[in-house]
Amino acid sequence: MTAKKSEITTVKLVSNPCLPAAGMEFSSRARQRHTRLAGDRRDPYPHSLQFYQEPPTENISLTEFESFAVDRLRLLKVVENLGVSYVRSSDSYKMKLEAEFRRLKFPYKALAEDDYDARRKDHISHFILRLAYCQSEDLRRWFLQQEMDLFRYRFNELTESLRQKFLEHVNLQFEAISEDLKNELANELSTSTPGFTMTKVKEQMFYKVGLSDAVDLFRARRVFIKDGFAFVPLKDIDAIVLNNYRQKLSKALALTARSLPSIQSDERLQPLLNHLSHSYVGPDYSVQKNTGKISLDQIDALSVKSFPLCMRQLHKALRDNHHLRHGGRMQYGLFLKGIGLTLEQALEFWKKEFIRGKVDADKFDKGYAYSIRHSYGKEGRRTDYTPYSCMKIIMSNPPSQGDYHGCPFRHSEPELLKQKLQSYKIPPSGIAQILDLVKGMHYQLACQKYFELTHDLDDIGFSLNHPNQYFAESQKLLTGGRELKKEQSHLGNSQQKSSSQESMTSTSTPSSSNTTAQAELEGLEAYFTED
């Protein structure tokens, strides 16, 4: 997707709540930054927080389209990681999430009057990811959960006056009760509202809310009910607002999913959205820093010490069966390439193992050898294939019977996963933690817990997004190349290496990764197609 040198490729965001990016057009960069005055009714972002009811209606460049989306994806992955690692109301949670807001330039303080660019980025990026993540039930569920957690944090950071302004902004007209009525009901309010003494009742503002809006509080017996209304303290109003937001976003995702055919017909836009829903935003592991430094004799030992569970499973299956079907060869072969196996080593490794089974040397040389050379960019279109990220493994090509590829945390039955972890001497308490994360569909966090348990760590200290990242970090620990708890590498900052080959900024990531993804789509069927 290129434009003339004198033009900037743009995406037209049209006025349809279901389809924020239903059309694309190419135009010269004529849009000027809008002149805005404080309080101007034409300002589309009167508040730093919103329910995302109105889609953006402007032209944006493809560079901006991709960078906005990838930055929000980074933010949501941090939200997911922190939500499992910390109590959401804790100071540590708030501090780390605020730091990420600052780094990625999203609005986090409603008091700021000059954050138009941040509010615009927040608005547009939400709709792009809504479109990318509506394509399956798993994607919709993940997106909804992270957006809810993100909204909860931002809403709770508002002052009381700004909360009231926001409620008016989204047409949630909850009536604040008078001081006289509050004093009259003080005893009932104190008794029915957990943690509220008479003194606290007098200090807190209460709202008169329809029972249908306060059903969750009613079920939990956390609110006073009278004459069909719930009397909700300001501190609990967030539960009602969140429920309202969840309903609206859930409905919007379902409607957007139904409208996908019109998007999928656009050959320019659909690859971008598919790439975002399977996106990996870390270092490029096709750049092999350790090429030739690992010997074939080391692989068995490394598979036990430094391979993630998915690759350890594949290696064991290969050793046991002397064969892997094409999905396993693709996933494992590219991983081995990424940790440093040269083309010559890969040919020797696969040939030695396969001829121990039912494949003779002649058949290997005529069929499988070509596929291996193809993966190293030496055959066909000369595409240098990139090792698979966690998201790609989790979201694409699920294994069938007789396959060993995929993510064990995502694709294994819980009981089989438990048995596998027991066989690897993971303690019962650790297995229970991993299975809880799997139950919550936090598959990458389950892998992080596996890393901690197999490396005797209390805190992994980074966000795990790639099998080759797992291997690299394991080797740093085992060889003394990295401190056990290096604070500055927390929350994925370890992904930002000093090397320009490995670092991927928010502006360079989308275009380079999308180009790679597009190249890999072409000719991929030719790679390891023979069983």
Side-chain angles (χ1 to χ4, degrees):
M1 282 171 283
T2 57
K4 295 178 182 178
K5 290 183 179 179
S6 60
E7 296 181 342
I8 301 295
T9 308
T10 62
V11 179
K12 174 68 174 177
L13 302 178
V14 299
S15 183
N16 183 327
C18 296
L19 303 176
M24 293 177 65
E25 66 180 24
F26 298 89
S27 65
S28 60
R29 184 177 227 168
R31 183 175 64 82
Q32 301 292 326
R33 184 182 299 275
H34 296 294
T35 302
R36 291 166 286 101
L37 300 175
D40 190 340
R41 291 181 180 272
R42 293 173 297 176
D43 189 342
Y45 311 118
H47 203 284
S48 68
L49 198 58
Q50 58 171 307
F51 274 175
Y52 307 101
Q53 294 289 90
E54 296 296 327
T57 57
E58 60 178 288
N59 289 343
I60 65 169
S61 69
L62 278 176
T63 299
E64 205 170 37
F65 181 96
E66 293 181 283
S67 66
F68 279 10
V70 170
D71 277 358
R72 191 178 194 91
L73 184 57
R74 283 189 170 121
L75 181 62
L76 294 185
K77 286 186 178 296
V78 169
V79 169
E80 178 188 29
N81 192 44
L82 288 176
V84 175
S85 305
Y86 297 90
V87 177
R88 290 190 179 94
S89 59
S90 68
D91 290 339
S92 296
Y93 177 89
K94 294 177 181 178
M95 180 181 67
K96 291 178 184 297
L97 193 50
E98 180 176 322
E100 203 66 16
F101 268 99
R102 288 176 179 271
R103 188 176 72 83
L104 295 173
K105 295 182 172 58
F106 281 98
Y108 64 96
K109 291 292 185 185
L111 293 172
E113 295 294 336
D114 58 349
D115 64 349
Y116 172 84
D117 290 335
R119 295 182 186 191
R120 174 176 172 269
K121 178 179 181 178
D122 173 55
H123 183 219
I124 293 173
S125 65
H126 169 89
F127 275 94
I128 296 172
L129 286 196
R130 181 191 290 188
L131 198 57
Y133 277 77
C134 75
Q135 301 183 63
S136 74
E137 182 60 33
D138 282 347
L139 290 173
R140 289 193 292 272
R141 190 183 297 114
W142 183 87
F143 179 72
L144 181 62
Q145 183 60 57
Q146 309 323 316
E147 285 286 340
M148 288 289 295
D149 288 346
L150 183 63
F151 183 91
R152 180 188 292 106
Y153 163 77
R154 294 172 67 186
F155 183 78
N156 286 333
E157 289 297 295
L158 299 178
T159 63
E160 288 190 8
S161 61
L162 286 172
R163 282 190 190 186
Q164 185 60 44
K165 288 181 180 179
F166 172 73
L167 294 176
E168 294 170 1
H169 175 61
V170 295
N171 296 318
L172 292 178
Q173 303 295 341
F174 300 146
E175 177 189 353
I177 66 174
S178 66
E179 285 296 316
D180 289 342
L181 180 57
K182 185 169 70 171
N183 291 333
E184 181 184 329
L185 300 173
N187 188 55
E188 290 89 343
L189 292 174
S190 175
T191 304
S192 303
T193 311
F196 269 61
T197 62
M198 291 292 287
T199 303
K200 197 167 184 179
V201 166
K202 293 180 180 179
E203 295 173 350
Q204 185 80 198
M205 183 184 298
F206 279 77
Y207 290 83
K208 188 177 179 180
V209 177
L211 191 56
S212 61
D213 287 320
V215 64
D216 289 340
L217 293 172
F218 172 66
R219 285 174 180 165
R221 301 189 177 191
R222 292 174 51 200
V223 68
F224 173 62
I225 304 293
K226 182 180 180 182
D227 299 332
F229 288 94
F231 291 78
V232 182
L234 183 61
K235 78 174 186 67
D236 283 335
I237 207 76
D238 64 337
I240 297 173
V241 176
L242 280 164
N243 186 54
N244 194 285
Y245 179 51
R246 178 187 289 276
Q247 291 175 0
K248 285 180 167 56
L249 182 54
S250 183
K251 182 179 179 181
L253 285 166
L255 289 173
T256 307
R258 287 188 216 145
S259 306
L260 274 178
S262 61
I263 296 296
Q264 291 168 339
S265 63
D266 191 325
E267 62 184 18
R268 297 163 295 179
L269 186 58
Q270 185 59 25
L272 285 174
L273 298 176
N274 283 339
H275 172 65
L276 283 170
S277 64
H278 296 71
S279 187
Y280 164 66
V281 292
D284 180 6
Y285 287 101
S286 63
V287 179
Q288 301 159 48
K289 296 179 66 176
N290 298 314
T291 300
K293 294 182 180 179
I294 294 174
S295 70
L296 297 184
D297 293 337
Q298 293 176 292
I299 293 179
D300 285 333
L302 289 172
S303 72
V304 175
K305 296 187 298 183
S306 293
F307 281 17
L309 190 57
C310 57
M311 300 305 170
R312 186 173 181 179
Q313 173 176 281
L314 282 165
H315 181 77
K316 185 178 186 304
L318 178 62
R319 290 302 198 206
D320 289 346
N321 303 320
H322 314 302
H323 187 269
L324 284 176
R325 298 176 68 180
H326 76 275
R329 298 197 302 271
M330 289 168 67
Q331 183 174 319
Y332 190 41
L334 292 174
F335 170 79
L336 292 175
K337 174 189 171 187
I339 69 172
L341 256 63
T342 63
L343 173 58
E344 292 72 22
Q345 286 178 309
L347 287 167
E348 181 184 351
F349 172 77
W350 289 100
K351 184 173 184 178
K352 278 185 176 179
E353 199 58 52
F354 272 44
I355 62 176
R356 294 177 62 192
K358 297 179 180 180
V359 177
D360 59 37
D362 186 57
K363 181 179 181 181
F364 183 90
D365 291 338
K366 289 181 178 178
Y368 296 100
Y370 174 88
S371 299
I372 295 168
R373 290 195 299 271
H374 189 278
S375 72
Y376 277 76
K378 304 302 182 183
E379 300 286 358
R381 296 179 64 89
R382 309 286 174 173
T383 300
D384 192 13
Y385 289 94
T386 303
Y388 289 178
S389 69
C390 292
M391 279 298 289
K392 184 176 180 67
I393 293 170
I394 290 169
M395 298 304 301
S396 60
N397 190 24
S400 56
Q401 187 172 3
D403 286 328
Y404 294 92
H405 65 275
C407 171
F409 303 106
R410 170 66 178 88
H411 298 118
S412 295
E413 291 295 327
E415 188 58 35
L416 292 176
L417 176 60
K418 179 180 179 180
Q419 292 174 16
K420 188 182 297 293
L421 294 171
Q422 287 172 338
S423 71
Y424 293 156
K425 309 302 181 186
I426 304 298
S429 60
I431 293 175
Q433 292 178 66
I434 288 174
L435 292 178
D436 282 344
L437 290 168
V438 168
K439 186 177 180 180
M441 295 183 294
H442 302 296
Y443 308 118
Q444 289 170 245
L445 297 178
C447 192
Q448 288 184 195
K449 178 56 65 176
Y450 175 77
F451 186 103
E452 291 171 358
L453 293 166
T454 54
H455 292 78
D456 196 24
L457 289 173
D458 292 329
D459 184 357
I460 192 172
F462 58 88
S463 293
L464 187 57
N465 296 297
H466 202 293
N468 290 85
Q469 178 195 11
Y470 184 110
F471 177 83
E473 295 292 344
S474 173
Q475 283 294 289
K476 286 179 184 177
L477 280 173
L478 297 174
T479 60
R482 185 173 76 88
E483 295 177 12
L484 294 187
K485 293 183 180 179
K486 194 170 183 179
E487 183 62 27
Q488 63 262 36
S489 68
H490 196 62
L491 294 178
N493 289 345
S494 61
Q495 295 173 356
Q496 301 172 354
K497 310 294 183 182
S498 58
S499 167
S500 62
Q501 288 182 319
E502 283 196 334
S503 78
M504 302 180 73
T505 65
S506 60
T507 53
S508 67
T509 296
S511 32
S512 62
S513 58
N514 192 57
T515 302
T516 303
Q518 284 289 93
E520 289 186 1
L521 288 174
E522 300 176 357
L524 190 58
E525 292 300 321
Y527 178 52
F528 284 157
T529 54
E530 219 182 310
D531 278 350

